[in-house]
């Protein structure tokens, strides 16, 4: 299996975040990427072929199919504007957010101070923007774009269901059209979806894509981006009532022509283990087959693991290859993108488990 990665993804390295009111080392660390990369490159059977993305690939047009221009421009300029305004050199962090209970607002981000803009374009405190953040998030999106291109190329030349892994980091599924949060700045999975759909301009009909989001947290950003789009089916398994707290209910089923193209399958915190998870994954698989997509995009988080430091499901390591095997059974060209997972000791093993299960070994 091809694995696309970029060393530039390691550049983003904020020192701290606040968890339950307490400053702690930033959980979404560059070491996560190193762990997964090492686990794959050290595979005894050498099943994984690592390929670094070409740094020159211009992906701005791909990003702008998902994110608003003003948001991308903000991300690019946020750090320098912040420092110029006297903000701490460690990075941009918001102080205040527009709140739905405090209207009316006359919001023009172009006229705001840098610190106000930081709150306008972010929904929590876990997305600091350091001097190197923009370079890293662009590299992560570039990995997603290149992997999508390779999947399209591979699908045209082979009959067997084909899979590629995009080793994206920072992750993406919490990032919306114009907002960052939850360690996510650019929605790598959404950007990849649009690449898959636009790869063959001469195709008679726009390819249909299903996103299977198996990160522990609800992918509020992916949901928002495709909420009224019937060409993309979004299905998520996630913890009910945990972060990001305000989305992920089963009543959120899409709107307009996207009605029934959004499926949330919340699971209970603390008690969800392997068997309940796999049974729910089967429901997701059935819904994906009913939609009959041309491609499958998997938002692959392994923060469902029993000892994950910020999550509380009870999945064990052997479950991950069973998850991968079930994904393979869908028989679709599949693009995996890395999302969450914070238990460092087993991060590589668990991600590799899913991919091993997909390959069938
Ligand atoms: C990509 C990804 O996994 N982002 C997750 C960001 C989560 N940040 C907030 C974590 C809050 C942890 N609260 C602990 C509650 C345990 N039930
Ligand atoms: Zn997560």
């Amino acid at each position: 299996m091809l694995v696309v990665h970029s060393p530039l993804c390691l550049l983003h390295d904020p020192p701290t975040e606040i968890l339950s009111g307490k400053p702690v080392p930033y959980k979404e660390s560059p070491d996560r990427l190193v762990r997964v990369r090492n686990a794959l490159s050290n595979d005894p059977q050498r099943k994984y072929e690592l390929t670094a993305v070409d740094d020159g690939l211009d992906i701005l047009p791909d990003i702008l199919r998902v994110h608003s221009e003003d948001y991308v421009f903000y991300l690019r300029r946020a750090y320098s504007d912040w420092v110029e305004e006297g903000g701490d050199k460690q990075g941009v962090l918001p102080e205040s957010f527009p709140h739905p209970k405090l209207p009316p607002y006359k919001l023009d981000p172009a006229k705001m101070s840098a610190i106000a803009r930081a709150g306008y374009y972010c929904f929590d405190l876990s997305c600091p923007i350091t001097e190197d953040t923009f370079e890293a998030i662009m590299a992560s999106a570039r990995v997603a774009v290149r992997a999508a291109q390779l999947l399209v190329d591979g699908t045209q030349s082979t009959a067997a269901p084909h899979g590629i892994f995009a080793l994206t980091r920072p992750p993406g599924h919490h990032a919306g059209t114009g907002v960052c949060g939850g360690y996510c700045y650019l929605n790598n999975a959404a950007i990849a979806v649009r690449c898959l759909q636009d790869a063959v301009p001469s195709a008679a009909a726009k390819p249909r894509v299903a996103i299977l989001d198996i990160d522990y947290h609800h992918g509020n950003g992916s949901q928002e981006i495709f909420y009224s789009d019937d060409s993309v089916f979004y299905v998520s398994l996630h913890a009910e009532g945990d972060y990001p707290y305000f989305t992920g209910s089963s009543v959120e089923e899409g709107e307009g022509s996207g009605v029934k193209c959004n499926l949330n399958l919340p699971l209970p915190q603390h008690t969800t283990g392997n068997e309940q998870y796999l049974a729910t994954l089967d429901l997701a698989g059935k819904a994906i087959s009913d939609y009959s997509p041309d491609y499958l995009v998997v938002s692959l988080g392994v923060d469902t693991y029993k000892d994950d430091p910020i999550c509380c499901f009870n999945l064990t390591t052997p479950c991950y290859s069973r998850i991968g095997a079930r994904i393979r059974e869908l028989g679709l060209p599949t693009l995996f993108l890395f999302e969450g997972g914070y238990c460092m000791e087993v991060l590589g093993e668990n991600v590799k488990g899913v991919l091993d299960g997909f390959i069938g070994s």
Side-chain angles (χ1 to χ4, degrees):
M1 180 184 278
L2 270 178
V3 177
V4 185
H5 71 105
S6 166
L8 297 178
C9 288
L10 300 168
L11 288 173
H12 172 69
D13 190 10
T16 52
E17 66 180 308
I18 295 170
L19 280 180
S20 302
K22 202 174 109 160
V24 294
Y26 199 69
K27 296 263 185 251
E28 202 287 283
S29 68
D31 193 33
R32 298 176 61 248
L33 200 66
V34 175
R35 300 268 183 163
V36 175
R37 200 176 62 197
N38 288 347
L40 298 176
S41 60
N42 294 336
D43 174 46
Q45 298 168 55
R46 300 263 173 259
K47 296 191 299 293
Y48 299 99
E49 187 186 332
L50 275 76
T51 171
V53 69
D54 173 12
D55 298 340
L57 188 64
D58 175 21
I59 53 154
L60 192 59
D62 303 282
I63 293 174
L64 293 177
R65 286 198 290 252
V66 168
H67 295 285
S68 61
E69 201 167 2
D70 64 309
Y71 175 61
V72 179
F73 186 76
Y74 161 73
L75 291 171
R76 181 153 60 94
R77 293 290 303 272
Y79 183 79
S80 54
D81 287 355
W82 168 268
V83 171
E84 198 177 312
E85 196 178 283
D88 191 278
K89 287 212 166 59
Q90 250 179 25
V92 179
L93 211 55
E95 209 174 70
S96 166
F97 304 93
H99 193 281
K101 285 187 179 169
L102 285 173
Y105 288 110
K106 290 183 284 296
L107 300 179
D108 181 355
K111 298 204 177 102
M112 290 175 189
S113 62
I115 195 163
R117 241 184 337 261
Y120 178 79
Y121 286 113
C122 191
F123 65 82
D124 70 7
L125 295 177
S126 46
C127 277
I129 298 176
T130 69
E131 189 168 14
D132 300 315
T133 296
F134 189 69
E135 186 147 24
I137 62 180
M138 290 298 281
S140 190
R142 217 178 286 127
V143 165
V145 168
R146 185 70 191 124
Q149 291 169 346
L150 288 166
L151 185 71
V152 171
D153 295 350
T155 305
Q156 283 162 355
S157 60
T158 53
H162 191 63
I164 294 202
F165 182 43
L167 193 35
T168 43
R169 185 267 163 190
H173 75 150
H174 295 303
T177 307
V179 69
C180 59
Y183 310 143
C184 303
Y185 303 81
L186 294 172
N187 196 311
N188 307 310
I191 292 166
V193 165
R194 292 306 187 209
C195 289
L196 294 172
Q197 293 189 306
D198 295 351
V200 191
S202 59
K206 183 152 82 164
R208 290 151 66 86
V209 182
I211 302 176
L212 171 62
D213 191 331
I214 56 172
D215 187 279
Y216 169 89
H217 303 99
H218 180 242
N220 58 289
S222 304
Q223 171 170 292
E224 179 246 315
I225 290 162
F226 299 115
Y227 207 58
S228 55
D229 185 342
D230 65 354
S231 73
V232 180
F233 181 72
Y234 175 78
V235 52
S236 173
L237 278 68
H238 54 268
E240 180 155 35
D242 206 335
Y243 182 91
Y245 304 113
F246 308 115
T247 61
S249 143
S250 58
V251 303
E252 297 156 16
E253 57 167 24
E255 69 187 10
S257 55
V259 167
K260 304 283 179 198
C261 294
N262 194 89
L263 177 62
N264 286 324
L265 300 169
L267 288 159
Q269 294 182 51
H270 308 293
T271 60
T272 296
N274 296 348
E275 302 311 320
Q276 185 178 4
Y277 194 87
L278 290 167
T280 309
L281 185 62
D282 285 341
L283 297 178
K286 172 83 170 62
I288 289 168
S289 297
D290 288 348
Y291 181 75
S292 66
D294 300 289
Y295 293 100
L296 177 63
V297 168
V298 179
S299 270
L300 173 53
V302 292
D303 37 11
T304 46
Y305 181 65
K306 66 180 176 64
D307 293 327
D308 193 280
I310 61 171
C311 303
C312 43
F313 280 174
N314 302 312
L315 271 58
T316 61
T317 293
C319 190
Y320 290 99
S321 62
R322 296 172 70 194
I323 291 173
R326 275 165 155 95
I327 294 172
R328 175 197 176 81
E329 278 171 22
L330 298 172
L332 293 163
T334 302
L335 177 59
F336 294 89
L337 296 107
F338 190 33
E339 301 279 2
Y342 310 96
C343 184
M344 301 306 283
E345 295 72 24
V346 289
L347 194 55
E349 198 184 342
N350 289 346
V351 170
K352 181 172 177 298
V354 175
L355 303 177
D356 281 352
F358 180 87
I359 294 169
S361 64

